[in-house]
Amino acid sequence: MTVSSLDLQALQLLVEVDERGSLSAAARELQVAQPNASRAIARLERRLGVTLLTRSTHGSRLTAQGTVLVHWARETIAGAQRLLDVAEGLRGEQTSALAVAASLTVAEHLMPRWLGRFRTEFPATRVHLQMQNSARVLELVASGECAVGFIESPGHPTGLRHAVVARDRLVVVVPPDHLWVRRRPPAVDELAGTPLVTREAGSGTRDTLDAALADHPRAAPLLELGSSAAILTAVAAGMGPAVLSTLAVDSVAATGAVQVVDVPGLVVERELRAVWRPPRPTPPANDLVRIAGSSHGRS
């Protein structure tokens, strides 16, 4: 067997089987018809002269030989992708603009740091940033108006690829003299039944809160505002409680203008994700995703 006879798609399928536990899941991820995926793996097995997968009604598992070779399959795919990225960069040397969309929490509290590092590495690339709620970010990326987006909403976006670039936590904030500070914190059902100052529908923060309290009867919002900063101002003025990201709350709470209240049994942690159209973000969008992920870590 020669290098020229290697089927990169078959190697990709092998890697996806290792990660997803079945050939059918691997085929769906790569948008390959199941019969074609089976034939590609069978051809690869014949060319390599080893059995790569054991198949059963419960899915596909790598054989001992497959476990060894999947490591090198990853290396081969990564090397091929780096070649494509470099070629894309060479083609696009004269195109030095990047359209980005980010949810408000990400744009206000994380994006400045990411863009600062991006500018240091790629000073010739101009970034056009749109600050929208998560629902609108998904629309901009899906339509191709933005090369990459950053969202905070729960769930997996349909038709887009995504990667976790950071994490945060939602906390309850109230005015310093609020009942929940002076006497006792609320139970989860009490929080759900309390009118809150909230973000608008379509906001990732709002969607995450709604999902966290979905099992409890909910009160209608006391007030809907378009940014975390506006909500914190309303809370500090005594308007009512709110639930916001620690990214927005920590610096304000440190001044004493608002108070964080721990609600027993309520832990709302979430993933902040980059999203892009398949198959993967191209330079320079890929570089921004890399910078965001390396700044805050991925799991």
Side-chain angles (χ1 to χ4, degrees), residues 280-297:
R280 61 179 286 134
T282 56
N286 187 59
D287 295 302
L288 182 57
V289 174
R290 170 182 57 79
I291 286 169
S294 63
S295 296
H296 296 272

Side-chain angles (χ1 to χ4, degrees), residues 37-298:
S38 296
R39 284 192 288 268
I41 291 293
R43 282 195 303 270
L44 183 61
E45 289 178 323
R46 287 195 300 272
R47 288 172 179 172
L48 294 176
V50 297
T51 301
L52 300 172
L53 302 180
T54 57
R55 301 164 177 83
S56 71
T57 56
H58 302 293
S60 301
R61 296 175 56 190
L62 295 177
T63 63
Q65 296 95 328
T67 300
V68 172
L69 290 178
V70 76
H71 166 76
W72 298 106
R74 281 193 177 89
E75 293 291 317
T76 302
I77 296 301
Q81 188 60 60
R82 284 193 292 271
L83 183 149
L84 294 176
D85 288 346
V86 171
E88 179 70 24
L90 293 173
R91 289 198 304 271
E93 277 184 341
Q94 303 305 314
T95 304
S96 56
L98 173 61
V100 180
S103 65
L104 295 182
T105 298
V106 174
E108 291 174 353
H109 302 285
L110 298 176
M111 192 60 71
R113 189 182 316 165
W114 298 345
L115 292 182
R117 182 174 163 190
F118 183 87
R119 182 174 178 80
T120 298
E121 294 189 25
F122 307 97
T125 301
R126 292 176 290 109
V127 176
H128 302 288
L129 174 64
Q130 293 196 45
M131 299 172 59
Q132 304 284 347
N133 66 32
S134 292
R136 180 58 180 152
V137 169
L138 291 173
E139 292 175 359
L140 290 170
V141 175
S143 70
E145 293 179 60
C146 290
V148 64
F150 295 90
I151 61 169
E152 56 200 80
S153 53
H156 298 296
T158 302
L160 298 176
R161 298 289 178 88
H162 56 94
V164 177
V165 294
R167 289 175 171 80
D168 73 342
R169 183 166 57 92
L170 300 189
V171 294
V172 178
V173 290
V174 297
D177 61 348
H178 193 274
L179 170 67
W180 293 345
V181 175
R182 291 185 286 106
R183 296 186 183 176
R184 57 171 179 77
V188 175
D189 57 350
E190 182 181 352
L191 174 68
T194 299
L196 302 173
V197 184
T198 70
R199 287 286 308 278
E200 77 287 358
S203 155
T205 297
R206 172 76 170 267
D207 290 346
T208 303
L209 175 63
D210 288 346
L213 299 179
D215 294 334
H216 302 273
R218 297 292 304 282
L222 178 65
L223 181 65
E224 294 182 348
L225 295 172
S227 72
S228 297
I231 291 175
L232 285 167
T233 299
V235 172
M239 181 70 68
V243 179
L244 292 172
S245 167
T246 52
L247 293 171
V249 166
D250 286 349
S251 61
V252 179
T255 69
V258 298
Q259 180 79 37
V260 175
V261 175
D262 291 325
V263 176
L266 181 70
V267 178
V268 186
E269 297 177 339
R270 63 180 179 175
E271 299 173 335
L272 309 179
R273 288 169 292 158
V275 294
W276 60 88
R277 294 199 297 176
R280 61 179 286 134
T282 56
N286 187 59
D287 295 302
L288 182 57
V289 174
R290 170 182 57 79
I291 286 169
S294 63
S295 296
H296 296 272
R298 295 180 186 171

